[in-house]
PDB file of all heavy atoms in Angstrom:
ATOM      1  N   ILE A  17     -17.135  -0.511 -34.204  1.00  0.00           N
ATOM      2  CA  ILE A  17     -15.848   0.009 -33.726  1.00  0.00           C
ATOM      3  C   ILE A  17     -15.606   1.424 -34.244  1.00  0.00           C
ATOM      4  O   ILE A  17     -14.922   2.207 -33.595  1.00  0.00           O
ATOM      5  CB  ILE A  17     -14.669  -0.927 -34.082  1.00  0.00           C
ATOM      6  CG1 ILE A  17     -14.618  -1.208 -35.580  1.00  0.00           C
ATOM      7  CG2 ILE A  17     -14.751  -2.229 -33.284  1.00  0.00           C
ATOM      8  CD1 ILE A  17     -13.418  -2.049 -36.010  1.00  0.00           C
ATOM      9  N   MET A  18     -16.231   1.754 -35.395  1.00  0.00           N
ATOM     10  CA  MET A  18     -16.048   3.122 -35.894  1.00  0.00           C
ATOM     11  C   MET A  18     -16.717   4.137 -34.967  1.00  0.00           C
ATOM     12  O   MET A  18     -16.198   5.228 -34.735  1.00  0.00           O
ATOM     13  CB  MET A  18     -16.603   3.243 -37.320  1.00  0.00           C
ATOM     14  CG  MET A  18     -16.321   4.588 -37.960  1.00  0.00           C
ATOM     15  SD  MET A  18     -14.547   4.920 -38.085  1.00  0.00           S
ATOM     16  CE  MET A  18     -14.140   4.016 -39.573  1.00  0.00           C
ATOM     17  N   VAL A  19     -17.877   3.765 -34.416  1.00  0.00           N
ATOM     18  CA  VAL A  19     -18.555   4.657 -33.462  1.00  0.00           C
ATOM     19  C   VAL A  19     -17.596   4.971 -32.303  1.00  0.00           C
ATOM     20  O   VAL A  19     -17.496   6.119 -31.845  1.00  0.00           O
ATOM     21  CB  VAL A  19     -19.848   3.985 -32.919  1.00  0.00           C
ATOM     22  CG1 VAL A  19     -20.454   4.804 -31.791  1.00  0.00           C
ATOM     23  CG2 VAL A  19     -20.856   3.785 -34.032  1.00  0.00           C
ATOM     24  N   GLN A  20     -16.861   3.956 -31.866  1.00  0.00           N
ATOM     25  CA  GLN A  20     -15.929   4.142 -30.743  1.00  0.00           C
ATOM     26  C   GLN A  20     -14.753   5.029 -31.171  1.00  0.00           C
ATOM     27  O   GLN A  20     -14.299   5.885 -30.416  1.00  0.00           O
ATOM     28  CB  GLN A  20     -15.415   2.786 -30.238  1.00  0.00           C
ATOM     29  CG  GLN A  20     -16.514   1.779 -29.920  1.00  0.00           C
ATOM     30  CD  GLN A  20     -17.597   2.367 -29.028  1.00  0.00           C
ATOM     31  OE1 GLN A  20     -17.310   3.041 -28.037  1.00  0.00           O
ATOM     32  NE2 GLN A  20     -18.856   2.131 -29.370  1.00  0.00           N
ATOM     33  N   ALA A  21     -14.275   4.820 -32.404  1.00  0.00           N
ATOM     34  CA  ALA A  21     -13.154   5.637 -32.905  1.00  0.00           C
ATOM     35  C   ALA A  21     -13.554   7.112 -32.947  1.00  0.00           C
ATOM     36  O   ALA A  21     -12.765   8.002 -32.586  1.00  0.00           O
ATOM     37  CB  ALA A  21     -12.751   5.163 -34.299  1.00  0.00           C
ATOM     38  N   LEU A  22     -14.805   7.377 -33.348  1.00  0.00           N
ATOM     39  CA  LEU A  22     -15.255   8.772 -33.457  1.00  0.00           C
ATOM     40  C   LEU A  22     -15.370   9.417 -32.072  1.00  0.00           C
ATOM     41  O   LEU A  22     -15.138  10.617 -31.919  1.00  0.00           O
ATOM     42  CB  LEU A  22     -16.588   8.845 -34.211  1.00  0.00           C
ATOM     43  CG  LEU A  22     -16.535   8.321 -35.655  1.00  0.00           C
ATOM     44  CD1 LEU A  22     -17.843   8.600 -36.386  1.00  0.00           C
ATOM     45  CD2 LEU A  22     -15.370   8.900 -36.442  1.00  0.00           C
ATOM     46  N   ARG A  23     -15.699   8.610 -31.072  1.00  0.00           N
ATOM     47  CA  ARG A  23     -15.715   9.143 -29.694  1.00  0.00           C
ATOM     48  C   ARG A  23     -14.304   9.631 -29.341  1.00  0.00           C
ATOM     49  O   ARG A  23     -14.131  10.660 -28.696  1.00  0.00           O
ATOM     50  CB  ARG A  23     -16.138   8.052 -28.696  1.00  0.00           C
ATOM     51  CG  ARG A  23     -17.594   7.654 -28.804  1.00  0.00           C
ATOM     52  CD  ARG A  23     -17.892   6.518 -27.840  1.00  0.00           C
ATOM     53  NE  ARG A  23     -17.738   6.898 -26.443  1.00  0.00           N
ATOM     54  CZ  ARG A  23     -17.606   6.030 -25.429  1.00  0.00           C
ATOM     55  NH1 ARG A  23     -17.614   4.731 -25.675  1.00  0.00           N
ATOM     56  NH2 ARG A  23     -17.472   6.449 -24.202  1.00  0.00           N
ATOM     57  N   PHE A  24     -13.323   8.870 -29.779  1.00  0.00           N
ATOM     58  CA  PHE A  24     -11.940   9.246 -29.482  1.00  0.00           C
ATOM     59  C   PHE A  24     -11.527  10.539 -30.178  1.00  0.00           C
ATOM     60  O   PHE A  24     -10.818  11.375 -29.611  1.00  0.00           O
ATOM     61  CB  PHE A  24     -10.982   8.111 -29.882  1.00  0.00           C
ATOM     62  CG  PHE A  24     -10.233   7.612 -28.706  1.00  0.00           C
ATOM     63  CD1 PHE A  24     -10.623   6.463 -28.063  1.00  0.00           C
ATOM     64  CD2 PHE A  24      -9.178   8.340 -28.186  1.00  0.00           C
ATOM     65  CE1 PHE A  24      -9.967   6.039 -26.931  1.00  0.00           C
ATOM     66  CE2 PHE A  24      -8.513   7.915 -27.067  1.00  0.00           C
ATOM     67  CZ  PHE A  24      -8.906   6.756 -26.432  1.00  0.00           C
ATOM     68  N   LEU A  25     -11.971  10.687 -31.424  1.00  0.00           N
ATOM     69  CA  LEU A  25     -11.632  11.913 -32.167  1.00  0.00           C
ATOM     70  C   LEU A  25     -12.163  13.130 -31.414  1.00  0.00           C
ATOM     71  O   LEU A  25     -11.498  14.165 -31.325  1.00  0.00           O
ATOM     72  CB  LEU A  25     -12.236  11.878 -33.569  1.00  0.00           C
ATOM     73  CG  LEU A  25     -11.562  10.952 -34.570  1.00  0.00           C
ATOM     74  CD1 LEU A  25     -12.247  11.059 -35.928  1.00  0.00           C
ATOM     75  CD2 LEU A  25     -10.085  11.314 -34.723  1.00  0.00           C
ATOM     76  N   LYS A  26     -13.358  12.982 -30.864  1.00  0.00           N
ATOM     77  CA  LYS A  26     -13.981  14.083 -30.123  1.00  0.00           C
ATOM     78  C   LYS A  26     -13.132  14.434 -28.896  1.00  0.00           C
ATOM     79  O   LYS A  26     -12.856  15.613 -28.625  1.00  0.00           O
ATOM     80  CB  LYS A  26     -15.395  13.645 -29.709  1.00  0.00           C
ATOM     81  CG  LYS A  26     -16.280  14.758 -29.259  1.00  0.00           C
ATOM     82  CD  LYS A  26     -17.755  14.338 -29.384  1.00  0.00           C
ATOM     83  CE  LYS A  26     -18.643  15.411 -28.808  1.00  0.00           C
ATOM     84  NZ  LYS A  26     -18.963  15.203 -27.410  1.00  0.00           N
ATOM     85  N   VAL A  27     -12.715  13.404 -28.180  1.00  0.00           N
ATOM     86  CA  VAL A  27     -11.930  13.618 -26.960  1.00  0.00           C
ATOM     87  C   VAL A  27     -10.597  14.294 -27.298  1.00  0.00           C
ATOM     88  O   VAL A  27     -10.180  15.252 -26.635  1.00  0.00           O
ATOM     89  CB  VAL A  27     -11.661  12.261 -26.254  1.00  0.00           C
ATOM     90  CG1 VAL A  27     -10.708  12.430 -25.100  1.00  0.00           C
ATOM     91  CG2 VAL A  27     -12.966  11.660 -25.763  1.00  0.00           C
ATOM     92  N   VAL A  28      -9.946  13.815 -28.363  1.00  0.00           N
ATOM     93  CA  VAL A  28      -8.649  14.390 -28.739  1.00  0.00           C
ATOM     94  C   VAL A  28      -8.822  15.845 -29.195  1.00  0.00           C
ATOM     95  O   VAL A  28      -8.022  16.717 -28.860  1.00  0.00           O
ATOM     96  CB  VAL A  28      -7.965  13.532 -29.840  1.00  0.00           C
ATOM     97  CG1 VAL A  28      -6.748  14.240 -30.413  1.00  0.00           C
ATOM     98  CG2 VAL A  28      -7.565  12.180 -29.265  1.00  0.00           C
ATOM     99  N   ALA A  29      -9.903  16.091 -29.952  1.00  0.00           N
ATOM    100  CA  ALA A  29     -10.145  17.464 -30.425  1.00  0.00           C
ATOM    101  C   ALA A  29     -10.327  18.408 -29.241  1.00  0.00           C
ATOM    102  O   ALA A  29      -9.877  19.559 -29.273  1.00  0.00           O
ATOM    103  CB  ALA A  29     -11.385  17.491 -31.317  1.00  0.00           C
ATOM    104  N   GLU A  30     -10.973  17.908 -28.185  1.00  0.00           N
ATOM    105  CA  GLU A  30     -11.192  18.754 -27.003  1.00  0.00           C
ATOM    106  C   GLU A  30      -9.893  19.030 -26.254  1.00  0.00           C
ATOM    107  O   GLU A  30      -9.692  20.110 -25.713  1.00  0.00           O
ATOM    108  CB  GLU A  30     -12.189  18.076 -26.055  1.00  0.00           C
ATOM    109  CG  GLU A  30     -13.644  18.294 -26.486  1.00  0.00           C
ATOM    110  CD  GLU A  30     -14.610  17.308 -25.843  1.00  0.00           C
ATOM    111  OE1 GLU A  30     -14.222  16.603 -24.892  1.00  0.00           O
ATOM    112  OE2 GLU A  30     -15.761  17.234 -26.321  1.00  0.00           O
ATOM    113  N   LYS A  31      -9.002  18.050 -26.234  1.00  0.00           N
ATOM    114  CA  LYS A  31      -7.753  18.168 -25.460  1.00  0.00           C
ATOM    115  C   LYS A  31      -6.698  19.003 -26.183  1.00  0.00           C
ATOM    116  O   LYS A  31      -5.906  19.702 -25.572  1.00  0.00           O
ATOM    117  CB  LYS A  31      -7.150  16.773 -25.214  1.00  0.00           C
ATOM    118  CG  LYS A  31      -7.736  16.043 -24.049  1.00  0.00           C
ATOM    119  CD  LYS A  31      -7.012  16.390 -22.749  1.00  0.00           C
ATOM    120  CE  LYS A  31      -7.736  15.824 -21.562  1.00  0.00           C
ATOM    121  NZ  LYS A  31      -8.517  16.667 -20.759  1.00  0.00           N
ATOM    122  N   PHE A  32      -6.672  18.858 -27.512  1.00  0.00           N
ATOM    123  CA  PHE A  32      -5.637  19.534 -28.289  1.00  0.00           C
ATOM    124  C   PHE A  32      -6.287  20.618 -29.138  1.00  0.00           C
ATOM    125  O   PHE A  32      -7.475  20.614 -29.365  1.00  0.00           O
ATOM    126  CB  PHE A  32      -4.897  18.528 -29.186  1.00  0.00           C
ATOM    127  CG  PHE A  32      -4.160  17.475 -28.404  1.00  0.00           C
ATOM    128  CD1 PHE A  32      -4.770  16.271 -28.094  1.00  0.00           C
ATOM    129  CD2 PHE A  32      -2.868  17.689 -27.960  1.00  0.00           C
ATOM    130  CE1 PHE A  32      -4.106  15.297 -27.362  1.00  0.00           C
ATOM    131  CE2 PHE A  32      -2.192  16.731 -27.227  1.00  0.00           C
ATOM    132  CZ  PHE A  32      -2.811  15.527 -26.929  1.00  0.00           C
ATOM    133  N   ASP A  33      -5.440  21.502 -29.612  1.00  0.00           N
ATOM    134  CA  ASP A  33      -5.972  22.610 -30.390  1.00  0.00           C
ATOM    135  C   ASP A  33      -6.156  22.170 -31.843  1.00  0.00           C
ATOM    136  O   ASP A  33      -5.408  22.566 -32.740  1.00  0.00           O
ATOM    137  CB  ASP A  33      -4.972  23.782 -30.314  1.00  0.00           C
ATOM    138  CG  ASP A  33      -5.597  25.047 -30.843  1.00  0.00           C
ATOM    139  OD1 ASP A  33      -6.840  25.091 -30.964  1.00  0.00           O
ATOM    140  OD2 ASP A  33      -4.834  25.977 -31.158  1.00  0.00           O
ATOM    141  N   VAL A  34      -7.163  21.326 -32.064  1.00  0.00           N
ATOM    142  CA  VAL A  34      -7.336  20.750 -33.396  1.00  0.00           C
ATOM    143  C   VAL A  34      -8.813  20.458 -33.619  1.00  0.00           C
ATOM    144  O   VAL A  34      -9.550  20.206 -32.663  1.00  0.00           O
ATOM    145  CB  VAL A  34      -6.476  19.457 -33.504  1.00  0.00           C
ATOM    146  CG1 VAL A  34      -6.888  18.419 -32.491  1.00  0.00           C
ATOM    147  CG2 VAL A  34      -6.512  18.852 -34.883  1.00  0.00           C
ATOM    148  N   SER A  35      -9.261  20.560 -34.879  1.00  0.00           N
ATOM    149  CA  SER A  35     -10.651  20.183 -35.134  1.00  0.00           C
ATOM    150  C   SER A  35     -10.706  19.218 -36.322  1.00  0.00           C
ATOM    151  O   SER A  35      -9.822  19.239 -37.195  1.00  0.00           O
ATOM    152  CB  SER A  35     -11.517  21.412 -35.395  1.00  0.00           C
ATOM    153  OG  SER A  35     -11.166  21.978 -36.616  1.00  0.00           O
ATOM    154  N   PHE A  36     -11.723  18.384 -36.314  1.00  0.00           N
ATOM    155  CA  PHE A  36     -11.858  17.386 -37.372  1.00  0.00           C
ATOM    156  C   PHE A  36     -13.196  17.588 -38.079  1.00  0.00           C
ATOM    157  O   PHE A  36     -14.234  17.681 -37.442  1.00  0.00           O
ATOM    158  CB  PHE A  36     -11.799  15.968 -36.795  1.00  0.00           C
ATOM    159  CG  PHE A  36     -10.534  15.706 -36.026  1.00  0.00           C
ATOM    160  CD1 PHE A  36     -10.574  15.506 -34.654  1.00  0.00           C
ATOM    161  CD2 PHE A  36      -9.310  15.676 -36.671  1.00  0.00           C
ATOM    162  CE1 PHE A  36      -9.409  15.274 -33.932  1.00  0.00           C
ATOM    163  CE2 PHE A  36      -8.141  15.450 -35.964  1.00  0.00           C
ATOM    164  CZ  PHE A  36      -8.185  15.252 -34.589  1.00  0.00           C
ATOM    165  N   GLN A  37     -13.086  17.643 -39.397  1.00  0.00           N
ATOM    166  CA  GLN A  37     -14.284  17.746 -40.219  1.00  0.00           C
ATOM    167  C   GLN A  37     -14.539  16.345 -40.753  1.00  0.00           C
ATOM    168  O   GLN A  37     -13.740  15.817 -41.532  1.00  0.00           O
ATOM    169  CB  GLN A  37     -13.901  18.627 -41.396  1.00  0.00           C
ATOM    170  CG  GLN A  37     -14.900  19.642 -41.832  1.00  0.00           C
ATOM    171  CD  GLN A  37     -14.314  20.292 -43.077  1.00  0.00           C
ATOM    172  OE1 GLN A  37     -13.178  20.759 -43.084  1.00  0.00           O
ATOM    173  NE2 GLN A  37     -15.093  20.267 -44.144  1.00  0.00           N
ATOM    174  N   LEU A  38     -15.616  15.729 -40.289  1.00  0.00           N
ATOM    175  CA  LEU A  38     -15.838  14.330 -40.651  1.00  0.00           C
ATOM    176  C   LEU A  38     -16.877  14.196 -41.753  1.00  0.00           C
ATOM    177  O   LEU A  38     -17.921  14.843 -41.708  1.00  0.00           O
ATOM    178  CB  LEU A  38     -16.328  13.542 -39.422  1.00  0.00           C
ATOM    179  CG  LEU A  38     -15.450  13.627 -38.171  1.00  0.00           C
ATOM    180  CD1 LEU A  38     -16.068  12.837 -37.033  1.00  0.00           C
ATOM    181  CD2 LEU A  38     -14.041  13.121 -38.471  1.00  0.00           C
ATOM    182  N   GLU A  39     -16.570  13.352 -42.729  1.00  0.00           N
ATOM    183  CA  GLU A  39     -17.562  13.068 -43.760  1.00  0.00           C
ATOM    184  C   GLU A  39     -17.762  11.558 -43.813  1.00  0.00           C
ATOM    185  O   GLU A  39     -16.831  10.822 -44.143  1.00  0.00           O
ATOM    186  CB  GLU A  39     -17.076  13.585 -45.111  1.00  0.00           C
ATOM    187  CG  GLU A  39     -18.113  13.393 -46.181  1.00  0.00           C
ATOM    188  CD  GLU A  39     -18.092  14.516 -47.218  1.00  0.00           C
ATOM    189  OE1 GLU A  39     -17.028  15.135 -47.389  1.00  0.00           O
ATOM    190  OE2 GLU A  39     -19.136  14.749 -47.842  1.00  0.00           O
ATOM    191  N   GLU A  40     -18.956  11.098 -43.427  1.00  0.00           N
ATOM    192  CA  GLU A  40     -19.186   9.655 -43.397  1.00  0.00           C
ATOM    193  C   GLU A  40     -19.745   9.165 -44.726  1.00  0.00           C
ATOM    194  O   GLU A  40     -20.687   9.739 -45.268  1.00  0.00           O
ATOM    195  CB  GLU A  40     -20.146   9.295 -42.255  1.00  0.00           C
ATOM    196  CG  GLU A  40     -20.249   7.796 -42.087  1.00  0.00           C
ATOM    197  CD  GLU A  40     -20.934   7.385 -40.793  1.00  0.00           C
ATOM    198  OE1 GLU A  40     -20.769   8.081 -39.769  1.00  0.00           O
ATOM    199  OE2 GLU A  40     -21.641   6.358 -40.826  1.00  0.00           O
ATOM    200  N   LYS A  41     -19.128   8.112 -45.261  1.00  0.00           N
ATOM    201  CA  LYS A  41     -19.567   7.537 -46.542  1.00  0.00           C
ATOM    202  C   LYS A  41     -19.677   6.025 -46.412  1.00  0.00           C
ATOM    203  O   LYS A  41     -19.186   5.435 -45.454  1.00  0.00           O
ATOM    204  CB  LYS A  41     -18.564   7.890 -47.642  1.00  0.00           C
ATOM    205  CG  LYS A  41     -18.453   9.376 -47.923  1.00  0.00           C
ATOM    206  CD  LYS A  41     -19.640   9.869 -48.721  1.00  0.00           C
ATOM    207  CE  LYS A  41     -19.620  11.367 -48.909  1.00  0.00           C
ATOM    208  NZ  LYS A  41     -20.848  11.869 -49.524  1.00  0.00           N
TER     209      LYS A  41
END
Side-chain angles (χ1 to χ4, degrees):
I17 55 176
M18 186 60 82
V19 172
Q20 308 310 315
L22 299 188
R23 290 177 64 198
F24 241 100
L25 286 182
K26 195 159 175 267
V27 173
V28 170
E30 279 162 12
K31 277 272 171 257
F32 297 92
D33 192 16
V34 61
S35 69
F36 303 113
Q37 222 184 308
L38 306 179
E39 184 146 26
E40 188 167 325
K41 296 284 175 188

